[in-house]
Amino acid sequence: MMALAYSWPAMAVYIASALLIIGGAIGVLIYRNPVHAALSLIMTLVGVAVAFVAQAADFLAAVQIIVYAGAIVVLFLFVIMFLGVDRREDVTAEPLVAQRPLAVLLVLIAVGSIVALGIEASWAVGPHHVTGKTLGPYQNVGELGRSVFTTYL
């Protein structure tokens, strides 16, 4: 069996990314402040991105930073700060009195609309010929669109 040889820089990058990942994950678990936990999650995601770079997966590293650390966790932070987790609120007092009845009414209207659409529509089920006659290459796209958005809605 052939032994794999690793260089010292590659091992140092691997150890650094592992420490970032493990340290950030532990921080997410132990911090009681949600802002600190979200920042630890960013540290974990940066460690994963470093591991991707070490494995020559540059695109995945960029996606990891841009999408996860740059968008999703920042969205978490905005929500945490917007909600004001540091203050206590009385959940028994409802500030908008008509909110729940209005929500129930809107749900009933939505369900009634879906039921009415199901009753009035002439939906076809089962294997039917969807596209119509083939008039050559790329000539049946319009028929397919009409079928998908009418009969097979």
Side-chain angles (χ1 to χ4, degrees):
M1 185 177 263
M2 188 172 137
L4 296 174
Y6 295 106
S7 65
W8 282 107
M11 287 299 288
V13 168
Y14 173 76
I15 291 170
S17 69
L19 289 175
L20 276 173
I21 293 168
I22 292 170
I26 290 172
V28 168
L29 293 175
I30 64 171
Y31 285 138
R32 297 189 56 83
N33 187 343
V35 175
H36 294 156
L39 291 174
S40 293
L41 181 60
I42 290 176
M43 188 170 78
T44 302
L45 296 174
V46 167
V48 171
V50 170
F52 281 144
V53 169
Q55 296 174 11
D58 299 328
F59 176 74
L60 289 177
V63 168
Q64 184 77 20
I65 294 295
I66 292 169
V67 173
Y68 292 113
I72 294 176
V73 177
V74 171
L75 180 67
F76 288 171
L77 284 172
F78 277 128
V79 168
I80 288 169
M81 291 179 183
F82 180 70
L83 292 177
V85 294
D86 56 341
R87 55 188 167 132
R88 301 282 180 215
E89 293 184 14
D90 184 18
V91 293
T92 58
E94 189 170 348
L96 301 173
V97 180
Q99 182 177 2
R100 288 190 184 156
L102 181 63
V104 170
L105 177 69
L106 291 176
V107 167
L108 290 176
I109 289 173
V111 170
S113 299
I114 292 171
V115 169
L117 180 64
I119 291 172
E120 292 295 321
S122 58
W123 291 351
V125 293
H128 296 286
H129 189 61
V130 176
T131 59
K133 293 181 181 177
T134 304
L135 303 173
Y138 309 111
Q139 298 295 320
N140 59 356
V141 175
E143 288 295 320
L144 177 63
R146 276 190 286 284
S147 295
V148 165
F149 290 109
T150 56
T151 306
Y152 295 100
L153 182 63

